[in-house]
């Protein structure tokens, strides 16, 4: 992809993700849940209401992690803190390097990324996985 094509692709993926996130919120009210729990072993994300009742369960693939300090993104497939089966599921995201001609999609080391870029990378990953959306866990 040329730089202009890549920018268009990023915009398309970001627009798509905004729509998916709005649908998830409208249908499931994720922002109103009392708490969440990620089961790293099973690869599922559970949501509980304010009274502790189990409400939702979604299968997950860890896209990546964003650190506000020092503003870096690390792909889920490269994160040794994520269990191997989930890292393996996320490894398909490395295909984005060949699709886009941008090596940052195959870089196992953290890459410099502000919050906006982290969301763009997540949007591209959601698009590639044809996922329902993504959940940014509060940290």
């Amino acid at each position: 992809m040329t730089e202009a094509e890549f920018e268009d692709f990023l915009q398309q993926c970001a627009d798509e993700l905004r729509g998916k996130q709005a649908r998830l919120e409208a249908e499931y009210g994720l922002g109103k849940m009392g708490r969440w729990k990620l089961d790293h072993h099973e690869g599922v994300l559970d949501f509980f209401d304010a009274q502790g009742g189990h409400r939702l369960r979604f299968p997950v693939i860890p896209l990546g992690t964003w650190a506000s300090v020092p503003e870096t993104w690390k792909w889920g497939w490269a994160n040794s803190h994520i269990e191997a089966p989930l890292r393996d599921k996320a490894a398909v995201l490395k295909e984005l390097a060949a699709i886009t001609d941008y090596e940052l999609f195959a870089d196992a080391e953290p890459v410099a990324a502000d919050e906006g870029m982290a969301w763009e990378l997540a949007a591209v990953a959601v698009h590639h996985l044809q996922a329902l959306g993504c959940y940014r866990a509060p940290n």
Side-chain angles (χ1 to χ4, degrees), residues 3-21:
E3 188 173 336
E5 290 169 333
F6 183 67
E7 289 298 322
D8 288 345
F9 178 62
L10 281 179
Q11 187 62 53
Q12 172 195 346
C13 291
D15 291 345
E16 180 182 300
L17 180 60
R18 275 190 289 282
K20 287 180 174 190
Q21 297 299 99

Side-chain angles (χ1 to χ4, degrees), residues 35-48 56-65 81-83 86 135 137:
R35 68 180 180 89
W36 59 273
K37 178 184 174 200
L38 175 62
D39 184 326
H40 292 272
H41 185 66
E42 288 189 39
V44 294
L45 180 60
D46 291 300
F47 289 91
F48 302 85
L56 301 166
R57 173 172 268 204
F58 295 99
V60 296
I61 296 175
L63 305 178
T65 53
H81 297 289
I82 296 172
E83 290 191 24
L86 287 180
Y135 183 71

Side-chain angles (χ1 to χ4, degrees), residues 67-78:
S68 60
V69 177
E71 287 199 330
T72 57
W73 172 269
K74 185 168 189 160
W75 291 105
W77 54 263

Side-chain angles (χ1 to χ4, degrees), residues 3 27 30 58 63 65 78 83-84 88 95 98 105 111 127 133:
E3 188 173 336
E27 288 183 37
L30 299 183
F58 295 99
L63 305 178
T65 53
E83 290 191 24
D88 293 344
E95 295 171 356
F105 292 103
V111 295
H127 173 81

Side-chain angles (χ1 to χ4, degrees), residues 66-120:
W66 179 69
S68 60
V69 177
E71 287 199 330
T72 57
W73 172 269
K74 185 168 189 160
W75 291 105
W77 54 263
N79 190 332
S80 63
H81 297 289
I82 296 172
E83 290 191 24
L86 287 180
R87 284 196 317 267
D88 293 344
K89 285 183 180 181
V92 69
L93 295 173
K94 290 189 259 185
E95 295 171 356
L96 288 162
I99 292 168
T100 64
D101 297 321
Y102 281 83
E103 285 302 313
L104 75 93
F105 292 103
D107 195 344
E109 296 302 314
V111 295
D114 62 14
E115 186 174 7
M117 182 176 173
W119 275 109
E120 288 176 337

